[in-house]
Amino acid sequence: MKFRLIIDKDKEEELVATVHRRYPVIDKIEALVTGTGSDSIAAYLDDEIRLLAFDEVDCITVIGGKTFAVGSNGRKYLLKKRLYEIEETLPPEFIRINKSSIANGNRILRFKTTISGGVDAEFKCGYTEYVSRRCFAELKRRFGL
C-alpha cells in the first residue's frame, strides 16, 4: 500500500483512495473526510442525559410518535430528533429495516421468519423488530442472504 501527501494551498482539497473492494475501515475514512463522522448522539433515560455511541446502538425506532434508540444493554433511550434527521448522521453500517426503524447491521444477531411469512430482525440485546419486504431486498444484497 502506498501513501502520498501533497500540500498545495492553491488547489482544492481532494482525497482519492484506490482499493480492491469496500472495507468497513474505508467507510470510516469516508465519514471522517466528509465530516459526517459524528460517533454519538444525545440520548435521554429518565432524568439523565448521555452521549450514546453509535456502536452501542442496536436499533433506532419510532414508538408512539417518539424516537428511541435501543441500546446494546436492551434499554430504550429517548432521542430528541426525528428519524430522518438522525438517519443523515448515521455511519454506513446502519440500514433501514422498515418505515419507522433503522438497524445497526453489526448488531443484528439473526433473521427469523414468522408464521405469517414475514421476517424479524433479532438484535444481540434481545430486541426484535420486523423487517418490511421492501427493505429485506436491500438486506439480502448487503448481507449476501
Side-chain angles (χ1 to χ4, degrees):
M1 179 181 288
K2 298 178 191 176
F3 178 79
R4 193 171 79 161
L5 177 66
I6 301 170
I7 299 174
D8 187 348
K9 295 177 184 175
D10 298 330
K11 292 192 176 182
E12 181 182 355
E13 291 183 343
E14 176 185 28
L15 181 71
V16 178
T18 305
V19 295
H20 295 285
R21 66 182 181 96
R22 193 165 191 96
Y23 298 99
V25 72
I26 299 300
D27 295 331
K28 291 179 183 178
I29 292 170
E30 180 181 22
L32 179 67
V33 170
T34 59
T36 59
S38 174
D39 62 346
S40 61
I41 189 165
Y44 301 81
L45 181 65
D46 299 328
D47 60 345
E48 104 182 29
I49 303 171
R50 68 175 285 208
L51 283 176
L52 190 62
F54 287 134
D55 59 353
E56 295 179 69
V57 175
D58 281 15
C59 183
I60 299 173
T61 188
V62 177
I63 302 170
K66 295 183 178 181
T67 309
F68 291 91
V70 180
S72 56
N73 55 8
R75 290 186 175 163
K76 293 182 180 142
Y77 298 89
L78 179 65
L79 305 176
K80 298 287 184 174
K81 293 183 177 182
R82 299 264 185 202
L83 192 62
Y84 72 90
E85 295 171 324
I86 297 166
E87 187 174 24
E88 294 171 356
T89 64
L90 292 173
E93 59 264 16
F94 282 82
I95 185 167
R96 187 170 286 275
I97 58 171
N98 62 48
K99 186 177 178 182
S100 60
S101 298
I102 302 170
N104 183 344
N106 297 335
R107 302 284 304 162
I108 296 175
L109 183 62
R110 69 177 136 246
F111 295 102
K112 298 188 310 187
T113 56
T114 62
I115 296 172
S116 62
V119 176
D120 288 343
E122 185 179 330
F123 297 90
K124 292 180 180 178
C125 71
Y127 181 75
T128 303
E129 185 67 53
Y130 82 94
V131 179
S132 70
R133 286 183 293 178
R134 178 180 295 161
C135 295
F136 191 64
E138 173 64 19
L139 285 170
K140 283 174 37 177
R141 186 191 64 74
R142 184 181 269 193
F143 292 113
L145 302 175

